[in-house]
Amino acid sequence: MLCGCERSATYFAENPAVAKEVLEDCKRGAHGGPECQNAQAAEANARHEAAQSVWRSMQHPTNQGSEPRRER
């Protein structure tokens, strides 16, 4: 990085390949500091969002104001 700036969790969320690379470097000890925490936060948020998406897809649709059908 030329500017010496720290990349935010938002940056890593928008660039998951970069986050993965940074996390691998962090695990090896080749990278450290706040970027490791930011990449971890982005990864955790992505896992959370994916789990929420799966959970939502498994929910039953609502009746949207209609009465349930009754057998006669």
Side-chain angles (χ1 to χ4, degrees), residues 4 35 42 53 58 67 69-72:
E35 282 202 341
S53 179
M58 294 171 55
E67 289 292 319
R69 298 179 92 186
R70 296 182 188 193
E71 296 290 325
R72 292 185 186 203

Side-chain angles (χ1 to χ4, degrees), residues 12-69:
F12 288 123
E14 294 170 354
N15 298 280
V18 176
K20 183 178 178 181
E21 183 179 316
V22 169
L23 287 171
E24 289 171 1
D25 288 347
C26 293
K27 288 177 187 174
R28 287 195 324 261
H31 200 99
E35 282 202 341
C36 291
Q37 289 92 7
N38 291 343
Q40 286 174 329
E43 181 185 55
N45 190 49
R47 283 194 314 266
H48 172 76
E49 290 296 322
Q52 287 292 310
S53 179
V54 169
W55 181 82
R56 280 188 218 99
S57 72
M58 294 171 55
Q59 298 305 303
H60 298 290
T62 63
N63 290 330
Q64 298 181 6
S66 64
E67 289 292 319
R69 298 179 92 186

